[in-house]
Amino acid sequence: MYSPIIIFEALANGLMLGAVYALIALGLTLIYGVLHIVNFAHGALLTVAMYAIWLAFEKFGLDPYLAILIVTPLMFALGYALQRFIIGPSSHGSDNGILLVTLGLSIVIQNLLLAGFSSDTLTIATDYAFGVVPIGPLLLSLPRVIGLGVSLLTALLLWFVLNRTDIGKAIRAVAKERLGASLVGINVAHVYAMTFALGTACLAIAAGLLMPTFYVSPTTGAAFVLVAFTIVVLGGMGSILGALIGGLLIGVVEAVFSLFLGDSLGQIGIFLIFILVLLVKPTGLFGARG
C-alpha cells in the first residue's frame, strides 16, 4: 500500500496534467459549440504545433514556453486559413462534408509530417524538465505546475474573449442561431473561421506546455485527442466549463489508475469513465439535450 504522501502527489500531478488535457479539449469543444461538428483534424494540428515548438528550440534555441508566444499566432492564422479557404468552401455548408474534409486534412497533415520528419520521436532537453516544486511534504513536477497555471490563465482569457468582446458576442450569437445572426449582419463565415482559429491557438499553447516532458512524432496528437474527446463528452458537448472540469477530473482518474496499475494501464480509467458517462448521462456533466 502506498503512503498518503505518494497518493497525494499522484493526485496533484494528475490534476495538473489534466489542466493541459482540458486546454486541448477547450479548442475541440469550442469548435463543436459553434460549428456543431467534430474536428477530426484536431490531433494532427496539435502535432503540427508540437513540431513548431521543437523547431523553435532546435533552430533558434527558443525555450518552449517562450516559443508559445510565437507559435500561437502562427497556429491561429493557420486555423483561420484552413476554415475560411479550405474547410468552409469544400464542405459546401454540409456538416457531413466538414467531417470528411477535416478527416482528409488529418490524413494529409500526418503524412506530410511523416515525409518531413520521418517516424522518429523527437524531444526537447531542458534544465527544468525534471524540476520539482516542494509544497509541504509534496514534491510537484515544475512543468506541470507551470502547465496548470498557464492552462487556467488561457481558460480565463478565452472566457473574457467570448463574453466581453465583440467577436465573442458574435461567436455566441452564431452558436445560438446561425440564421438569425446572419440576418442582423454578422459575417458567419468569418465567425466560423475565427472560432476554428481560437481552437487551433489553444493547441499551440498546449503544445508548448507538453514539449518539455513529452515527445513528438507524426501520430502523437492522435493519442491526446482521444483523451480530449473523452473530456468533451464528460463535460458536455460545447461546454467550456465542462471541458475545464472534465479535463481536471480525467487527469486525476488517469493518475490514480497509473499509480495502482502502472503507467501502461493508466488510461483504462479514462475510457471506463467515458463508457460510464455514456450509459448514465449521455449529455455530459454540463451538456443539455438538443
Side-chain angles (χ1 to χ4, degrees), residues 109-130:
I109 291 172
Q110 184 174 315
N111 281 277
L112 286 175
L113 292 174
L114 187 62
F117 295 95
S118 78
S119 60
D120 295 338
T121 58
L122 303 174
T123 59
I124 289 177
T126 60
D127 295 334
Y128 52 78
F130 298 100

Side-chain angles (χ1 to χ4, degrees), residues 42-116:
H42 205 66
L45 290 171
L46 174 61
T47 310
V48 169
M50 293 177 77
Y51 272 114
I53 297 290
W54 180 84
L55 284 172
F57 179 83
E58 287 294 318
K59 303 299 182 183
F60 305 104
L62 203 58
D63 184 88
Y65 296 136
L66 291 178
I68 290 175
L69 300 177
I70 296 175
V71 174
T72 298
L74 293 177
M75 291 299 296
F76 180 93
L78 175 62
Y80 187 96
L82 286 176
Q83 168 59 33
R84 191 68 187 266
F85 304 114
I86 297 179
I87 298 174
S90 59
S91 63
H92 303 290
S94 165
D95 289 350
N96 290 334
I98 295 176
L99 290 174
L100 291 174
V101 172
T102 56
L103 179 60
L105 271 176
S106 175
I107 296 171
V108 169
I109 291 172
Q110 184 174 315
N111 281 277
L112 286 175
L113 292 174
L114 187 62

Side-chain angles (χ1 to χ4, degrees), residues 115-289:
F117 295 95
S118 78
S119 60
D120 295 338
T121 58
L122 303 174
T123 59
I124 289 177
T126 60
D127 295 334
Y128 52 78
F130 298 100
V132 296
V133 177
I135 299 180
L138 304 180
L139 297 176
L140 305 181
S141 168
L142 175 60
R144 292 191 180 183
V145 170
I146 295 173
L148 174 63
V150 174
S151 296
L152 293 178
L153 182 62
T154 303
L156 182 62
L157 180 60
L158 186 59
W159 176 88
F160 179 83
V161 169
L162 292 176
N163 291 277
R164 294 291 186 268
T165 66
D166 290 340
I167 186 60
K169 294 174 183 177
I171 288 172
R172 290 188 289 116
V174 171
K176 189 71 174 177
E177 177 54 59
R178 177 174 60 183
L179 179 59
S182 177
L183 290 175
V184 298
I186 294 175
N187 186 337
V188 174
H190 173 66
V191 169
Y192 276 2
M194 286 295 293
T195 304
F196 202 92
L198 284 172
T200 307
C202 288
L203 295 178
I205 300 172
L209 299 176
L210 288 170
M211 281 309 294
T213 54
F214 284 89
Y215 67 86
V216 62
S217 72
T219 59
T220 298
F224 285 105
V225 86
L226 281 175
V227 177
F229 275 125
T230 304
I231 292 169
V232 169
V233 172
L234 174 61
M237 300 293 282
S239 171
I240 300 296
L241 178 61
L244 182 59
I245 294 177
L248 297 175
L249 179 59
I250 286 297
V252 170
V253 169
E254 183 182 14
V256 170
F257 275 76
S258 296
L259 182 63
F260 290 100
L261 299 180
D263 290 339
S264 60
L265 298 177
Q267 290 197 342
I268 286 179
I270 294 177
F271 296 107
L272 286 177
I273 291 288
F274 180 76
I275 294 170
L276 184 62
V277 169
L278 289 178
L279 288 173
V280 177
K281 198 175 188 298
T283 57
L285 298 175
F286 297 92
R289 290 191 180 275

